[in-house]
Amino acid sequence: PDLRHLHATILRGGPEPGSSMPTEGPGIAIGTAADLKPAQLPPTVGHFTGRADDLEALDRAFKSRGAESLVLLVSGLGGLGKTALLVQWAHAAGSEFPDGQVFLDLHGHDPVRSLTPRSALGAALTALRVPRTEIPDGLDGRVALYRTVVSGRRVLLVADDAASTEQILPLVPPTTASQLVVTSRLRLAPLSAHHAVQALALQPLTANASRDLLGRIVG
């Protein structure tokens, strides 16, 4: 019991029993891990160029969402910059989601690392600060808990490199307060049978944009 109490005290940022914590300058309140909001977006890529129209299309799609859950989908061949585009947009739209941003790499086209829907939900719940001991084992239980946790929050969820509709369906937020955005090499047409989808088929950079990008890189 004493060890558990000491462990809990340390996690709370409190002083060890019988000791005092050193301070520097004004006192700073230290929150527990459960108080942290997820901020998992990768940094934006350097030399981002040639995608102004695509960023505007994502903005229009997001602002036009109605009363039903909307999935923003960016599809296209591997290497076109789908993730870079979505991360760029997500950083710009970050203020719309004060309760945090969750980034899930589904590894959809990696036969070894590809996440099952159950594993993807587990990763999302962990990112949303749900203790691992409280995450159900079964898929249905995780879906129910995920919807409960997300409901009433304004969270951005980025699901990168999806390989199937099955990977995405459990991650769709229950309300329009939160937003799910997805990248995939596939168009994931069956997704539209379940939810409203705004799809952006990403094209290769134009010749001018390609030259501009090359010039920025090589100087």
Side-chain angles (χ1 to χ4, degrees):
D2 290 340
L3 181 59
R4 285 197 296 269
H5 176 70
L6 175 59
H7 182 219
T9 301
I10 293 172
L11 290 179
R12 288 196 302 269
E16 183 179 340
S19 67
S20 59
M21 293 183 66
T23 59
E24 294 184 9
I28 299 175
I30 302 176
T32 66
D35 297 328
L36 298 177
K37 296 176 182 178
Q40 298 184 335
L41 292 178
T44 56
V45 298
H47 307 297
F48 186 85
T49 187
R51 295 297 187 190
D53 291 344
D54 297 311
L55 289 172
E56 290 179 6
L58 287 173
D59 270 336
R60 286 195 303 270
F62 172 68
K63 293 175 181 177
S64 67
R65 67 194 187 284
E68 57 183 328
S69 296
L70 171 69
V71 179
L72 295 181
L73 171 64
V74 178
S75 63
L77 298 174
L80 285 183
K82 299 183 295 296
T83 303
L85 171 67
L86 211 49
V87 168
Q88 190 82 11
W89 177 83
H91 275 285
S95 61
E96 298 283 347
F97 308 100
D99 295 315
Q101 305 91 38
V102 175
F103 186 89
L104 300 175
D105 190 344
L106 301 180
H107 300 289
H109 294 85
D110 186 329
V112 176
R113 303 171 65 194
S114 181
L115 297 187
T116 64
R118 176 182 172 278
S119 298
L121 279 169
L125 288 168
T126 300
L128 292 167
R129 319 312 298 175
V130 176
R132 294 181 185 274
T133 55
E134 297 180 13
I135 298 177
D137 289 332
L139 176 60
D140 290 344
R142 292 187 177 195
V143 171
L145 180 58
Y146 170 77
R147 291 173 179 170
T148 299
V149 171
V150 172
S151 181
R153 296 188 184 184
R154 294 169 62 187
V155 178
L156 175 65
L157 302 115
V158 180
D160 190 38
D161 193 21
S164 68
T165 298
E166 287 70 24
Q167 277 184 312
I168 297 304
L169 283 176
L171 296 171
V172 178
T175 70
T176 56
S178 294
Q179 180 64 59
L180 174 64
V181 291
V182 182
T183 72
S184 178
R185 299 180 190 180
L186 308 175
R187 293 182 181 272
L188 302 181
L191 190 60
S192 298
H194 301 272
H195 299 284
V197 177
Q198 284 279 6
L200 172 64
L202 199 63
Q203 302 299 320
L205 288 174
T206 64
N208 287 338
S210 298
R211 283 191 292 270
D212 184 23
L213 177 59
L214 181 62
R216 293 187 182 191
I217 293 173
V218 302

